[in-house]
Amino acid sequence: MLAAVLRGGELTLQTSLRSWRALSSIAYNGSYRLLKSPPLVSLDLLEDWTRRVDQDHLENVAIPKTSNQLTAALIDGKTIAEEIRSEIADEVRRMKSSIGKTPGLAVILVGDRRDCQIYVRNKILACEEAGIRSEVEELPESCSEDEILSALKTFNENPEIHGVLVQLPLPERFDEGKILSRLQLEKDVDGFHPLNMGNLALKGREPLFIPCTPKGCIELLLRSGVEIMGKRAVVIGRSNIVGLPTSLLLQRYHATVTVLHAFTKNPETIAREADIVVAAVGMPNLVRGSWLKPGAVVIDVGTYPVEDPSSDHGYRILGDVCYEEAVKVASAVTPVPGGVGPMTVAMLLLNTLESAKRFYDFV
């Protein structure tokens, strides 16, 4: 038994050393050439409250007046994502011509939820366009946890697979935390491994991967010229997939962040104080125009299919934000679809590319 414990400890140590080596090189290894977002550690600043208080007394913040004629700028996630994906495809071609290798992504899909199937299909198509090889392991909802873990183990051990993701949410009977903890840290391109999430939260630490949707939200803000530092941000929703990592990432960019959830009292009043609103709940039209401060920037992560016989697919997608009302109050809004969704896929491809670069030590 003692020998087994020692072997387990040695494996953990080896994994940790590999992770630290990867962390130490991430700032210099490529992804930040394609994005405006710098390494998180480079954003860390010394807290200086005395200086901040003096500055606050000198600043006069102009708040735009409400106007029914105001039309918000469109934050076009589709166009921005296409630009990034084109640059990723160029990098993949450069890798293939230089070392004869290409990145590989594996997806584990459990059950037959339509939205999950659509997400996976879009990811695979995006991989094909970028020249990234992909594999999908589809398991029925009736499968056992051991079958999921077995598929994970296979992909963890495959040197041609550099990114592995388990499509979430899993059916409720499964322990998501346990399953995600078995994912090899160096292949956690979704960024949901506890160590990646922990490093995202801690000042002075750099996660190997930032979760794709929050990473995409920040990139949209940066590319739209939105200032984050010192601004009030409200994140509506606190899921492990979007709400929590988005709030952590905004804090790393020095926003003052409030998280609203189902038990929050007076959410409309709190949201109306925010310069930046990120809605990630999955409830159509939850956020009305009355929730928004005039001139706020709104990032709508929500996607909710509703039946629509007039649509080619028989349904249409709504976001968490009532778009028709938001454009009359906000200064900039992401549409649904065509906003955050394409950016999420682009960030997944980028994380997979960076994982392959680290594995092959390709600069």
Side-chain angles (χ1 to χ4, degrees):
M1 180 179 292
L2 178 58
V5 171
L6 289 173
R7 283 196 300 272
E10 183 180 354
L11 276 173
T12 303
L13 178 59
Q14 290 172 352
T15 301
S16 299
L17 288 173
R18 287 198 305 271
S19 301
W20 278 114
R21 282 196 293 270
L23 284 168
S24 66
S25 65
I26 186 172
Y28 310 101
N29 197 16
S31 70
Y32 302 110
R33 298 172 185 168
L34 303 184
L35 304 181
K36 289 188 178 293
S37 47
L40 293 182
V41 173
S42 71
L43 300 173
D44 293 335
L45 297 176
L46 178 67
E47 300 283 350
D48 186 353
W49 283 95
T50 56
R51 186 178 175 187
R52 178 70 250 182
V53 171
D54 291 340
Q55 184 179 344
D56 285 343
H57 285 297
L58 296 174
E59 289 181 349
N60 292 314
V61 180
I63 300 176
K65 294 181 180 179
T66 307
S67 169
N68 288 332
Q69 302 303 315
L70 178 65
T71 301
L74 180 73
I75 300 178
D76 189 351
K78 184 177 180 181
T79 298
I80 294 172
E82 286 174 354
E83 293 172 358
I84 295 172
R85 284 169 57 173
S86 176
E87 293 172 0
I88 292 170
D90 290 342
E91 280 291 282
V92 171
R93 284 191 290 270
R94 186 172 72 89
M95 175 184 283
K96 186 174 183 179
S97 64
S98 298
I99 62 174
K101 302 290 185 180
T102 57
L105 175 70
V107 182
I108 297 174
L109 175 62
V110 181
D112 55 1
R113 279 183 52 146
R114 184 171 68 176
D115 56 343
C116 289
Q117 291 174 333
I118 292 171
Y119 296 152
V120 170
R121 185 178 70 237
N122 290 341
K123 291 168 184 175
I124 298 307
L125 288 174
C127 283
E128 292 176 359
E129 292 176 4
I132 296 174
R133 66 183 298 267
S134 60
E135 293 186 28
V136 180
E137 180 71 25
E138 295 189 50
L139 298 171
E141 188 168 342
S142 59
C143 74
S144 67
E145 188 176 89
D146 286 342
E147 289 178 276
I148 301 175
L149 294 177
S150 176
L152 258 181
K153 185 174 184 293
T154 299
F155 290 136
N156 279 341
E157 295 174 352
N158 187 342
E160 295 186 346
I161 295 295
H162 310 100
V164 182
L165 68 88
V166 179
Q167 183 63 46
L168 300 179
L170 290 170
E172 290 185 2
R173 64 190 181 87
F174 292 112
D175 184 344
E176 284 187 1
K178 177 183 176 182
I179 290 170
L180 293 178
S181 68
R182 299 289 185 89
L183 177 58
Q184 188 174 320
L185 181 64
E186 293 85 352
K187 297 187 179 186
D188 175 37
V189 288
D190 250 346
F192 297 147
H193 190 286
L195 286 177
N196 274 323
M197 291 288 281
N199 283 328
L200 176 61
L202 294 174
K203 183 177 179 179
R205 299 292 186 90
E206 190 81 43
L208 278 178
F209 304 101
I210 297 172
C212 301
T213 298
K215 186 174 182 176
C217 290
I218 293 294
E219 190 65 19
L220 286 176
L221 291 172
L222 296 176
R223 287 179 180 246
S224 302
V226 177
E227 185 178 354
I228 303 175
M229 178 184 287
K231 299 299 183 181
R232 291 187 177 185
V234 160
V235 177
I236 306 174
R238 54 177 176 176
S239 70
N240 289 343
I241 300 174
V242 182
L244 173 61
T246 299
S247 66
L248 295 174
L249 194 52
L250 283 166
Q251 288 184 73
R252 295 294 294 267
Y253 277 81
H254 310 293
T256 300
V257 183
T258 301
V259 177
L260 306 185
H261 49 77
F263 302 98
T264 301
K265 294 181 179 179
N266 304 317
E268 179 179 344
T269 302
I270 298 171
R272 203 158 44 234
E273 297 178 350
D275 305 297
I276 300 169
V277 175
V278 180
V281 177
M283 292 189 63
N285 293 332
L286 170 70
V287 180
R288 315 294 302 209
S290 61
W291 286 50
L292 304 175
K293 171 183 174 180
V297 176
V298 182
I299 304 294
D300 190 353
V301 182
T303 54
Y304 192 88
V306 294
E307 291 186 9
D308 183 359
S310 64
S311 170
D312 293 338
H313 301 288
Y315 68 93
R316 58 193 175 97
I317 303 294
L318 294 179
D320 289 348
V321 179
C322 181
Y323 184 81
E324 293 76 11
E325 295 179 9
V327 294
K328 297 177 181 178
V329 183
S331 63
V333 183
T334 59
V336 177
V340 175
M343 288 297 290
T344 298
V345 175
M347 296 302 101
L348 173 64
L349 299 183
L350 183 58
N351 282 352
T352 303
L353 171 62
E354 287 308 307
S355 180
K357 281 186 171 184
R358 279 196 292 268
F359 182 81
Y360 295 120
D361 196 21
F362 179 74
V363 180

